[in-house]
Amino acid sequence: MKKNYKIETQCLHAGYEPKNGEPGVMPIVQSTTYRYDSTQQIGDLFDLKAEGHMYSRLSNPTVDAVEKKIAALEGGVGALCTSSGQAATLLSLLNIVKPGDHIISASTIYGGTVNLFMVNFKRLGIEVDLVNPDLPLEELQKYVKENTKAVFGETIANPALTVLDIEKMAELAHSNNVPLIMDNTFATPMLCRPFEFGADIVVHSTTKYMDGHATTVGGVIVDSGNFDWTNGKFEEFTVPDDSYHGLVYSEQFGKAAYIVKARVQLMRDYGTYPSALAAFILNLGLETLHVRMERYCQNALKVAKFLDEHPEIESINYPGLEGSKYYELSQKYLKKGASGVIAVEVKGGKERAARFMDALNLVIKEVHVADIRTCILHPASSTHRQLTDEQLANAGIGGGLVRLSVGIENVDDIIADLANALEVSR
Ligand SMILES: *Cc1c(COP(=O)(O)O)cnc(C)c1O
């Protein structure tokens, strides 16, 4: 793949380059296994001396093509697909933290990630401090401890829609010799490429905009290749791995040490690899990602402007709207648009929000976001139901807040449906 192709072209052509007479589209390689002529060749695969597929829990040609495409889109050295976004976040961190370690995370993150950090990481003895990402760097530095191993945040937070100051968080991470891991789900590489602002690792729930069609749960981890794992803080990269006859990841794999280790050590043991079919479907979504993201952004901005001026709306948060608290950050980090999700607080609190939602005809009530179809959700009673009131407040979620995910229908139809529901739910 020629490196100088523009990102839109990469959506279509990166990852799979068929040779003479081969299928034009990467086929679904529905096989768990791969045949070899000799035991020696298989032995070399197990020793990581040779490249090749051995078993579809570790790699598969269809998934591999998608991994290469996403790595190209983000500008990374490699990617690892996972069976869900949750699995991507989980493995991205377990690859570098162990019991007794500490993570600093923005408090405005996906509710499932809050659960992962506060329930199961706690159980594993991994401590996470959820911090207000809008604090100045000096204040954030106070959370750093001797055992801090990573800084984590979301480009555009789900559902609070805070825009992270990526350069500030990268500074926080790098001044303490730890990596910045960014969940880039809502922005996608079409709107923001966090590596360009200093992030080291990117994760996605591909379930959202990347798949786009609301068909397939999945995730991905992408490695920038920029972090120095030999800085003394991450011995798992410099000390021999006995489960591979004493292999040292940083020596053998250089810039790709992180993503290779995630695959051959963590994926081997945790087994959250996607199926070839899931990857094939994800690829169909990726092929039109650039076209869809443009339309989501256009539609969402029009809907946001309509809601902003509506008398029945208490407050609105869309980072692309002038006057939004995050407008300036969005102008810096989201130059091509602020994605498709809008948070609105309808006047009349929780009950009114429910009446409003029930009065919608076109807009779908579902537990999803980033569907091609416009959909709506009430976080406090669904995705964020497990959180305490304090955690809800920290995540920026009020009782009457609804999360509107604007799709790619004709925007006039979306606005008419919202206008009608606001009227009849008064
Ligand atoms: C949905 C989501 C996740 C979790 O992804 P799944 O694919 O549902 O496991 C993680 N981060 C963000 C920002 C999300 O929106």
Side-chain angles (χ1 to χ4, degrees):
M1 184 76 193
K2 290 199 193 77
K3 275 250 160 43
N4 56 4
Y5 281 137
K6 300 259 190 306
I7 193 165
E8 294 81 1
T9 309
Q10 308 247 22
C11 280
L12 293 147
H13 296 283
Y16 176 58
E17 288 165 65
K19 296 184 192 70
N20 191 35
E22 287 183 352
V25 175
M26 180 70 213
I28 303 166
V29 180
Q30 192 63 35
S31 181
T32 58
T33 48
Y34 306 88
R35 291 189 189 185
Y36 290 92
D37 291 337
S38 71
T39 45
Q40 181 61 46
Q41 283 173 312
I42 293 178
D44 287 347
L45 286 174
F46 271 88
D47 283 345
L48 305 182
K49 282 182 193 148
E51 276 189 36
H53 303 287
M54 58 171 138
Y55 185 55
S56 290
R57 181 177 359 102
L58 286 175
S59 67
N60 164 283
T62 312
V63 187
D64 180 61
V66 175
E67 290 169 339
K68 290 200 165 82
K69 178 176 286 187
I70 296 174
L73 296 179
E74 285 287 8
V77 295
L80 175 66
C81 280
T82 57
S83 55
S84 68
Q86 283 298 104
T89 307
L90 173 74
L91 297 194
S92 76
L93 283 159
L94 287 190
N95 203 24
I96 53 171
V97 300
K98 55 184 180 310
D101 284 344
H102 174 249
I103 297 164
I104 296 176
S105 170
S107 58
T108 50
I109 49 171
Y110 174 64
T113 309
V114 175
N115 278 337
L116 171 67
F117 288 172
M118 292 308 165
V119 180
N120 267 296
F121 273 16
K122 191 172 177 194
R123 213 172 259 161
L124 292 174
I126 298 163
E127 189 197 356
V128 183
D129 265 321
L130 297 179
V131 304
N132 176 354
D134 295 336
L135 289 175
L137 184 59
E138 310 81 70
E139 290 295 313
L140 291 170
Q141 288 283 9
K142 292 179 186 161
Y143 289 93
V144 177
K145 301 181 183 186
E146 189 93 329
N147 56 348
T148 302
K149 288 293 178 64
V151 175
F152 185 90
E154 293 179 12
T155 313
I156 308 173
N158 177 8
L161 304 183
T162 53
V163 177
L164 201 73
D165 187 344
I166 304 173
E167 285 180 350
K168 178 182 74 179
M169 294 311 251
E171 172 83 47
L172 173 70
H174 297 161
S175 61
N176 294 288
N177 296 317
V178 303
L180 171 63
I181 303 183
M182 291 290 305
D183 182 334
N184 198 32
T185 297
F186 271 22
T188 82
M190 294 307 124
L191 305 181
C192 179
R193 305 212 306 167
F195 296 156
E196 291 171 1
F197 300 102
D200 302 287
I201 306 295
V202 157
V203 297
H204 286 274
S205 166
T206 61
T207 318
K208 312 294 165 53
Y209 288 111
M210 283 188 168
D211 167 73
H213 298 73
T215 65
T216 310
V217 173
V220 68
I221 308 170
V222 193
D223 182 359
S224 69
N226 293 334
F227 193 80
D228 177 14
W229 303 104
T230 66
N231 69 10
K233 275 209 163 171
F234 299 91
E235 63 168 21
E236 52 274 57
F237 290 92
T238 54
V239 163
D241 180 350
D242 290 338
S243 68
Y244 284 108
H245 304 307
L247 170 134
V248 177
Y249 291 100
S250 63
E251 284 172 11
Q252 184 125 352
F253 301 106
K255 273 188 169 302
Y258 172 94
I259 203 71
V260 171
K261 181 169 115 53
R263 182 187 303 277
V264 301
Q265 192 189 60
L266 280 87
M267 193 58 85
R268 177 194 66 189
D269 296 354
Y270 291 99
T272 57
Y273 206 58
S275 69
L277 177 61
F280 181 86
I281 296 171
L282 170 57
N283 184 55
L284 293 179
L286 291 171
E287 288 180 339
T288 59
L289 183 64
H290 53 306
V291 184
R292 288 184 293 108
M293 289 315 290
E294 208 175 293
R295 181 61 66 88
Y296 287 120
C297 292
Q298 282 170 8
N299 279 2
L301 186 58
K302 284 184 188 158
V303 170
K305 283 182 175 160
F306 161 78
L307 292 171
D308 190 35
E309 283 166 12
H310 200 286
E312 292 300 310
I313 298 298
E314 184 75 50
S315 68
I316 176 164
N317 182 13
Y318 180 66
L321 200 60
E322 253 176 277
S324 152
K325 189 176 169 197
Y326 296 99
Y327 185 69
E328 262 174 40
L329 285 173
S330 83
Q331 292 305 100
K332 174 170 181 182
Y333 292 109
L334 303 161
K335 284 204 176 76
K336 292 194 210 161
S339 201
V341 185
I342 303 172
V344 266
E345 188 132 20
V346 184
K347 278 191 182 154
K350 203 169 172 174
E351 263 97 81
R352 168 72 189 283
R355 281 204 309 282
F356 161 68
M357 285 179 55
D358 289 342
L360 291 162
N361 295 314
L362 174 68
V363 177
I364 304 160
K365 291 172 281 296
E366 63 180 9
V367 183
H368 196 41
V369 65
D371 196 330
I372 32 175
R373 291 149 284 248
T374 300
C375 59
I376 195 164
L377 178 90
H378 185 220
S381 66
S382 55
T383 46
H384 289 63
R385 205 183 172 88
Q386 317 303 334
L387 305 194
T388 64
D389 284 351
E390 196 192 337
Q391 285 173 326
L392 278 175
N394 280 340
I397 299 159
L401 186 93
V402 294
R403 187 186 66 187
L404 181 66
S405 171
V406 179
I408 62 172
E409 299 94 341
N410 185 304
V411 72
D412 295 343
D413 289 332
I414 302 169
I415 289 175
D417 195 35
L418 294 169
N420 176 63
L422 283 169
E423 181 61 32
V424 305
S425 65
R426 274 220 282 210

